[in-house]
Amino acid sequence: DRQYAAGVAEIVKYGLIRDVAFFEYLEKNMDKLMRRDPEVLNYAMRVSCQCKASVVGEDEHEGGVRAILNLGHTFGHAIEAHEGYGNWLHGEAVAAGMVMATEMSCRLGWIDRSVVDRTENLLARASLPVVPPPTMGVESFMRYMSVDKKVESGVLKLILLKKLGDAIVTSKYDKEVLYDTIMLYQQRFKENPGKYMAQSVKETIGSV
């Protein structure tokens, strides 16, 4: 169901930010994970907890690296705020946000296009949205992102990927790349609305 899939989004996150081997494991076993295969689910939960503990252990006072646990959350929080909390589940918004973060990382020249495609495909196999709401443009995103907790002295820090399994927290990016990333999805919607909506949230919150 949607709540379970939303939780899977956070599992995928750990492969993206810290563990390439785990990401590859999820690619091989996502169908079993979605069927709640006990062995696969237990392993995924164990690795996720170990990864989180490792990151937190490196940054017990939340001074830096712990923020990588928020991959996709800056875009995701904007989606939640725009759509009204509950219409998109948190994990659904984070899933779309992680795809946006990988897209932006690719546009900055940090990761290969294949990483974006693999991320999108993996999340789609979990029945998660991989695009933001078509109604959200640059103005909408920036309005909500400007009040994100990761804004310091008026500068928005983003969690992006230097490579698969290596996330960073940075404010050193070209804002035009951020804007272009957001606009990409509006363009995709204009080109093929049907396909776009098939990649978005498919149900109302009442169907959870």
Side-chain angles (χ1 to χ4, degrees):
D1 58 17
R2 286 179 66 189
Q3 293 284 3
Y4 180 81
V8 170
E10 298 286 352
I11 290 174
V12 172
K13 176 188 71 179
Y14 291 111
L16 285 168
I17 66 173
R18 261 298 167 94
D19 194 331
V20 177
F22 183 49
F23 187 88
E24 293 171 346
Y25 174 86
L26 292 173
E27 288 182 306
K28 294 176 182 176
N29 293 280
M30 180 55 76
D31 296 342
K32 289 182 179 180
L33 181 60
M34 295 310 294
R35 291 198 303 267
R36 309 190 193 202
D37 177 278
E39 182 179 346
V40 173
L41 179 57
N42 288 338
Y43 179 76
M45 293 296 293
R46 183 169 70 252
V47 174
S48 296
C49 290
Q50 290 171 344
C51 182
K52 182 172 184 176
S54 173
V55 173
V56 171
E58 293 175 24
D59 183 16
E60 295 181 0
H61 304 292
E62 300 189 59
V65 70
R66 190 189 294 202
I68 67 172
L69 295 172
N70 290 318
L71 177 71
H73 285 62
T74 303
F75 292 108
H77 289 156
I79 292 171
E80 287 181 281
H82 181 268
E83 292 297 290
Y85 286 96
N87 288 307
W88 278 54
L89 300 179
H90 177 68
E92 293 173 335
V94 167
M98 289 193 295
V99 175
M100 295 182 75
T102 58
E103 175 67 38
M104 184 172 171
S105 300
C106 178
R107 286 169 174 260
L108 288 166
W110 295 350
I111 62 173
D112 188 78
R113 171 61 53 187
S114 64
V115 177
V116 185
D117 294 340
R118 289 169 68 188
T119 301
E120 186 173 315
N121 290 337
L122 186 58
L123 292 167
R125 287 171 60 197
S127 299
L128 286 161
V130 293
V131 294
T135 53
M136 289 192 74
V138 172
E139 183 179 344
S140 297
F141 267 102
M142 296 313 299
R143 179 166 67 251
Y144 296 112
M145 292 168 77
S146 66
V147 295
D148 189 271
K149 65 181 181 180
K150 290 179 284 299
V151 173
E152 295 182 6
S153 302
V155 178
L156 174 64
K157 290 186 175 182
L158 292 174
I159 294 87
L160 301 171
L161 296 184
K162 272 292 187 181
K163 61 182 180 181
L164 180 59
D166 183 12
I168 62 167
V169 185
T170 183
S171 58
K172 296 179 180 179
Y173 55 84
D174 185 342
K175 276 193 174 182
E176 291 301 317
V177 176
L178 171 59
Y179 301 154
D180 287 346
T181 299
I182 296 168
M183 289 189 290
L184 165 70
Y185 296 96
Q186 287 192 307
Q187 183 61 37
R188 284 186 182 176
F189 177 70
K190 290 177 182 177
E191 291 173 354
N192 194 333
K195 179 180 178 181
Y196 191 96
M197 294 310 297
Q199 296 176 313
S200 187
V201 166
K202 302 173 182 63
E203 307 173 60
T204 63
I205 196 67
S207 63
V208 173

